[in-house]
Amino acid sequence: MELEVRHLRALCAIADTGSLHKAARQLGVSQPSLTTQLRRIENALGAELFARGRTGCRPTALGRSVLSRARPLVDGMAALVTETRAEAARADGPRLRVGSTASRALPGWLRRLRARFPGTDVALRVDVSARTLLREVAAGRLDVAFVHEVEGSPLPVPEGLDHRVLVAREPQFVSLSPAHPAAAHPVVDLADLARDHWMVDPAVDGEWDGLRRVLTAAGIDPPLLHGDYHTAASLIALGEAVAPCQPTSVPREDLAVRPLLGDPLAVRLLLYARPATPLAPLHATLADAYREAAHRAPPYRAWLAEGGAAPPCLPGTPA
C-alpha cells in the first residue's frame, strides 16, 4: 500500500484527538473503518505508530517522528487547495504581482497601489535577493520588482525589462547600541567602529562585497559576522555588533541609527517591470510612499535638513 495524504490526515486526527472514536467522528468515517486503515498504515510502514490503551491512543516514539513529517505535508496540501481555490475565484479579475527587497516604503506603497487600482488583486513577494526578483519578472512570474543595487556591485539585469530609478544614491546608515560611545555623536566615523563586530547578511546581493570594499578603503579591518538582520538587531541591542541599515530605519530604545561620515555606503533604488506593465503610476505611488517613510525617520529627516543630497522623490510634503 502506498501512503496518501488521506492516510497522513488520519494519523494527525488520531494524534490530535487522542482517540480512534473521536478521530473517526472528525473525519466522517466509522471507527472500525479507521481502525482498519490505521492497521494498514502501520503494516505498510512496518511499525506501530500508536500505543492503544484505556485512556486512548498515544503516538509511539516512531509515531511522533512520522507525525512531525506528516503535519507539514497535510498543512501544505490544505494551503494548496485553499490558495488554488482563491486564485481560481479571482482569475478573471486584474492582478498585479509585486516583488520587493526589504523596504520601509512597502506598506505605504501597497496602500497606494490598492487605492490607485481598485478591484485589482495586488500580491506581494519579498525576497532578500534582488537577482532572484529580477529573474522572476523576466520569467513572467512577477509584474514589477522594487530592488536595491549596492554601489559598486551592479545587478545582472535580464534583457527586455523596463526600469525607472527611484533614488540614484541612497546613503546607508549604521545601527548600533545606544550605549555605544559613537552613538553620542550625530554622525559616526567609520574609524570609531574599527573594533566592533560588523554584521552583514551574505544573502543580500552585493552587500558583503560592498561593505568589505568600504571598510578596506577606510583602512580598517574589523571582524565581520554573517547573519540575517533579525539576528543582527538582537546582537546590536546587546552591544555585540553594529550593522549597516537603511536610512528610513526608525530608532528604538535599544537601537540607535546614525549616518556615517562622508556617506561611504550607498545603494541605488530601482523599479523594474515587464514591458506591458505601466511603470509611470507604479513609480509615482512608490515615490510618494518612499517620501513618507523618509520623513517618518528622524535620523534621515535630520540628514536631509542638514544638507544631505535629497533624492528627487523627497522634496515636498509626504503624500
Side-chain angles (χ1 to χ4, degrees):
M1 183 187 79
E2 291 188 2
L3 288 184
E4 301 173 11
V5 174
R6 63 188 179 92
H7 298 135
L8 302 182
R9 192 178 294 114
L11 294 179
C12 293
I14 296 169
D16 291 341
T17 62
S19 160
L20 281 167
H21 174 70
K22 292 179 181 177
R25 187 167 56 188
Q26 177 179 304
L27 294 168
V29 300
S30 67
Q31 181 175 335
S33 172
L34 183 59
T35 301
T36 300
Q37 187 178 68
L38 176 59
R39 188 178 302 116
R40 288 175 178 169
I41 294 171
E42 291 179 327
N43 287 340
L45 294 177
E48 188 177 64
L49 302 180
F50 290 90
R52 287 77 153 177
R54 291 181 179 179
T55 57
C57 294
R58 296 291 179 270
T60 61
L62 181 61
R64 288 193 294 272
S65 176
V66 170
L67 285 164
S68 70
R69 298 185 178 189
R71 290 189 190 280
L73 296 174
V74 172
D75 292 343
M77 180 58 71
L80 172 65
V81 172
T82 299
E83 291 170 9
T84 301
R85 286 175 177 169
E87 292 225 6
R90 59 179 181 248
D92 296 333
R95 298 190 64 201
L96 180 62
R97 297 162 300 174
V98 176
S100 179
T101 49
S103 171
R104 285 164 181 80
L106 268 183
W109 189 30
L110 291 178
R111 186 175 72 250
R112 286 169 171 81
L113 286 175
R114 288 172 177 139
R116 182 72 175 266
F117 304 105
T120 298
D121 174 39
V122 181
L124 173 66
R125 172 181 170 179
V126 177
D127 199 299
V128 296
S129 172
R131 296 185 184 197
T132 298
L133 293 172
L134 294 181
R135 286 196 297 266
E136 292 293 285
V137 175
R141 289 186 286 269
L142 290 174
D143 298 307
V144 61
F146 173 40
V147 299
H148 71 272
E149 178 183 75
V150 176
E151 192 169 65
S153 299
L155 289 170
V157 181
E159 292 184 6
L161 300 186
D162 294 335
H163 84 281
R164 292 281 185 92
V165 177
L166 180 75
V167 178
R169 192 176 194 272
E170 180 194 65
Q172 298 299 280
F173 289 2
V174 65
S175 56
L176 63 166
S177 166
H180 194 294
H185 306 289
V187 178
V188 174
D189 192 322
L190 277 176
D192 294 333
L193 307 174
R195 296 184 179 181
D196 288 282
H197 286 81
W198 282 76
M199 195 159 207
V200 65
D201 187 345
V204 178
D205 298 317
E207 194 149 313
W208 164 250
D209 289 335
L211 177 61
R212 184 171 52 185
R213 185 165 50 247
V214 166
L215 294 176
T216 300
I220 61 177
D221 186 23
L224 299 178
L225 303 175
H226 288 176
D228 64 87
Y229 285 104
H230 292 294
T231 304
S234 301
L235 293 177
I236 292 166
L238 294 172
E240 296 293 328
V242 299
C245 67
Q246 297 173 13
T248 49
S249 300
V250 177
R252 308 183 325 210
E253 288 187 1
D254 60 350
L255 201 75
V257 174
R258 298 287 185 271
L260 289 167
L261 183 65
D263 305 318
L265 284 169
V267 302
R268 190 162 64 133
L269 302 183
L270 303 152
L271 191 63
Y272 282 92
R274 300 171 65 196
T277 304
L279 259 177
L282 301 180
H283 182 270
T285 50
L286 179 55
D288 286 344
Y290 183 87
R291 185 189 305 123
E292 178 182 61
H295 280 267
R296 284 181 174 175
Y300 200 10
R301 195 167 61 238
W303 180 87
L304 291 166
E306 291 172 9
C313 65
L314 281 183
T317 305

